[in-house]
């Protein structure tokens, strides 16, 4: 059995955080994964949720029966600049306090850093992990890492090696379906990547949305100008609006006995948010018996 969570990002522009839990209940979800929003935890900024905010979220969890299953913060704890890294570690310390007060025991996050200074960024990430280990262990919170496009590590195999290098049971790995082609540099071999993470005992979460293969044909599935600009473009489309091999993904998850978290993270289709999120929940329930 898996826990299917809604990332309510597409509702953030019109709803408070508590209202997104009510929306999740309306759509049939039992869990949410709260991704960055400015009044809670925002990209690379100190978390803004205060005691009243946390109390309201806890009250809404009880009222709706929807559990905040995970938080998905993005802090640049791999920053090469040491002052910036220390500030991001401070952000993490506060987020862990908030997670504990919400009784959230799994946090999924990104490596961040600078892919043009990958070695130095990797050093800084390990430094941050060392500093934060006592807090993670004191609160009993698990960390689930994903390799994100434009992080200092973007490829699945290398990211899994880095996670395993920490050698902590509470640090796991997240397979991100919309990053399938970035993780594999266009190969799209989802089954191999899922199996390798599961074999290492690290596969804890799967992000669910679709994307096109940016390497396919002549690499012009989508275009960045000027050519060669130092950016990375990716998508979080509804299932079926891309080239992720879903049959392979679901079959492999069943074969490895995946029983972790699946987070529906479709972005950028606000006008179809209810339709796409409900369809994803139905598909995941049918495929994985949740």
């Amino acid at each position: 059995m898996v826990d299917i969570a809604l990332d309510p990002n597409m509702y953030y522009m019109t709803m408070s955080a508590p209202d997104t839990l009510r929306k999740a209940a309306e759509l049939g979800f039992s869990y949410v994964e709260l991704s960055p929003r400015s009044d809670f935890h925002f990209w690379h900024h100190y978390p803004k949720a205060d005691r009243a905010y946390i109390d309201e979220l806890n009250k809404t969890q009880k009222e709706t029966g929807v559990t905040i299953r995970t938080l998905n913060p993005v802090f640049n704890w791999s920053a090469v600049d040491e002052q910036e890294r220390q500030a991001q570690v401070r952000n993490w310390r506060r987020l862990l306090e908030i997670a504990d007060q919400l009784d959230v025991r799994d946090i999924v996050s990104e490596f961040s850093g600078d892919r043009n200074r990958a070695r130095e960024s990797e050093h800084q990430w390990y430094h941050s992990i060392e500093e934060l280990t006592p807090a993670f262990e004191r609160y009993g919170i698990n960390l689930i890492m994903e390799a994100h496009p434009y992080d200092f590590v973007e490829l699945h195999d290398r990211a899994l090696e880095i996670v395993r290098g920490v050698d902590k049971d509470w640090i796991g790995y997240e397979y991100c379906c919309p990053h399938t082609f970035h993780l594999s540099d266009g190969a799209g071999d989802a089954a191999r990547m899922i199996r390798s993470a599961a074999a290492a005992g690290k596969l804890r979460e799967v992000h669910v949305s679709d994307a096109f293969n940016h390497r396919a044909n002549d690499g012009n599935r989508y275009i960045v100008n000027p050519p060669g600009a130092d950016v990375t473009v990716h998508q979080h489309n509804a299932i079926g609006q891309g080239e992720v091999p879903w049959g392979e993904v679901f079959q492999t998850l069943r074969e490895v006995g995946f029983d972790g978290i699946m987070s529906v993270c479709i972005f950028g289709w606000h006008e179809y948010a209810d339709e796409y999120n409900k369809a994803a929940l139905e598909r995941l329930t049918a495929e994985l018996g949740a």
Side-chain angles (χ1 to χ4, degrees), residues 204-232:
R204 311 283 168 80
E205 180 165 355
V206 176
H207 273 178
V208 178
S209 53
D210 214 332
F212 289 101
N213 187 349
H214 64 296
R215 294 290 194 193
N217 299 323
D218 61 352
N220 280 336
R221 280 283 197 263
Y222 35 89
I223 299 167
V224 174
N225 285 71
D230 188 24
V231 298
T232 303

Side-chain angles (χ1 to χ4, degrees), residues 155-157 175 179-193 213-216 243-245 248:
L155 298 176
H156 164 83
D157 295 305
Y175 182 75
H179 303 165
T180 290
F181 304 107
H182 290 283
L183 290 168
S184 61
D185 197 25
D189 52 348
R192 181 194 68 81
M193 292 187 284
N213 187 349
H214 64 296
R215 294 290 194 193
E243 297 169 302
V244 172
E248 179 181 324

Side-chain angles (χ1 to χ4, degrees), residues 39-65:
D39 61 348
F40 188 4
H41 59 85
F42 203 53
W43 287 282
H44 313 305
H45 286 73
Y46 190 81
K48 302 303 189 290
D50 61 8
R51 190 179 313 137
Y53 192 106
I54 294 164
D55 287 346
E56 187 175 4
L57 280 174
N58 278 327
K59 180 182 177 183
T60 308
Q61 288 189 85
K62 292 178 181 177
E63 289 174 350
T64 61

Side-chain angles (χ1 to χ4, degrees), residues 132-263:
L132 289 166
T133 287
F136 273 100
E137 294 183 348
R138 181 170 67 253
Y139 291 122
I141 293 175
N142 301 307
L143 173 65
I144 308 169
M145 292 301 304
E146 71 163 294
H148 195 280
Y150 210 81
D151 281 0
F152 77 81
V153 54
E154 298 177 283
L155 298 176
H156 164 83
D157 295 305
R158 183 61 176 157
L160 185 56
E161 288 173 356
I162 291 170
V163 166
R164 295 184 71 175
V166 183
D167 200 21
K168 298 284 187 184
D169 291 340
W170 51 268
I171 300 183
Y173 181 80
E174 179 238 300
Y175 182 75
C176 190
C177 292
H179 303 165
T180 290
F181 304 107
H182 290 283
L183 290 168
S184 61
D185 197 25
D189 52 348
R192 181 194 68 81
M193 292 187 284
I194 291 170
R195 287 186 188 282
S196 66
K202 291 298 182 183
L203 185 63
R204 311 283 168 80
E205 180 165 355
V206 176
H207 273 178
V208 178
S209 53
D210 214 332
F212 289 101
N213 187 349
H214 64 296
R215 294 290 194 193
N217 299 323
D218 61 352
N220 280 336
R221 280 283 197 263
Y222 35 89
I223 299 167
V224 174
N225 285 71
D230 188 24
V231 298
T232 303
V233 177
H234 72 290
Q235 301 144 325
H236 282 242
N237 297 337
I239 295 174
Q241 295 184 7
E243 297 169 302
V244 172
W246 291 106
E248 179 181 324
V249 167
F250 293 132
Q251 180 63 29
T252 306
L253 290 172
R254 288 192 293 267
E255 289 175 357
V256 301
F258 178 70
D259 60 356
I261 306 159
M262 299 199 76
S263 174

